[in-house]
Amino acid sequence: MDANDPRMAAVECAIARVGYEHGRNGIQIAEQWIHAHVHAVLTVQEGRAANPMAFPGYGDGTAEEAARRIVARLLDAGWRPPDSECLDLPGDPSDIA
């Protein structure tokens, strides 16, 4: 996706926009965000193990909170959940009649 792609209107994150404009694809941008958030939560957890008052503004420092942060970043980067029809499909292809 490039700067002239109409789908860029769904990209709210300035860093993701720059990534797309420099030729990165959505998977590469997602990997970047996931790596950054996993690294951050591990750093927070390690820091708090040594000093419970470390990183006071980060939040809970839980895996669940990190997951929410990752999902938020992906949505800001233009990712969207699958449509409801896709979610209603059977898990086993042989169940499709």
Side-chain angles (χ1 to χ4, degrees), residues 7-91:
R7 295 175 295 172
M8 285 293 278
V11 179
E12 297 175 22
C13 175
I15 295 172
R17 281 180 164 284
V18 169
Y20 284 123
E21 290 168 1
H22 285 93
R24 297 185 66 140
N25 64 39
I27 297 295
Q28 292 169 323
I29 292 168
E31 288 172 347
Q32 170 190 341
W33 284 124
I34 292 167
H35 176 267
H37 283 288
V38 168
H39 181 72
V41 76
L42 292 174
T43 301
V44 167
Q45 290 174 345
E46 183 179 312
R48 288 182 179 169
N51 174 7
M53 300 306 290
F55 303 101
Y58 183 79
D60 294 341
T62 63
E64 295 81 9
E65 181 184 41
R68 287 190 300 273
R69 289 173 187 251
I70 291 167
V71 169
R73 283 292 186 173
L74 294 177
L75 291 173
D76 286 349
W79 287 59
R80 294 295 175 258
D83 60 47
S84 61
E85 290 179 18
C86 176
L87 296 176
D88 292 337
L89 291 176

Side-chain angles (χ1 to χ4, degrees), residues 88-97:
D88 292 337
L89 291 176
D92 184 351
S94 64
D95 292 342
I96 299 175

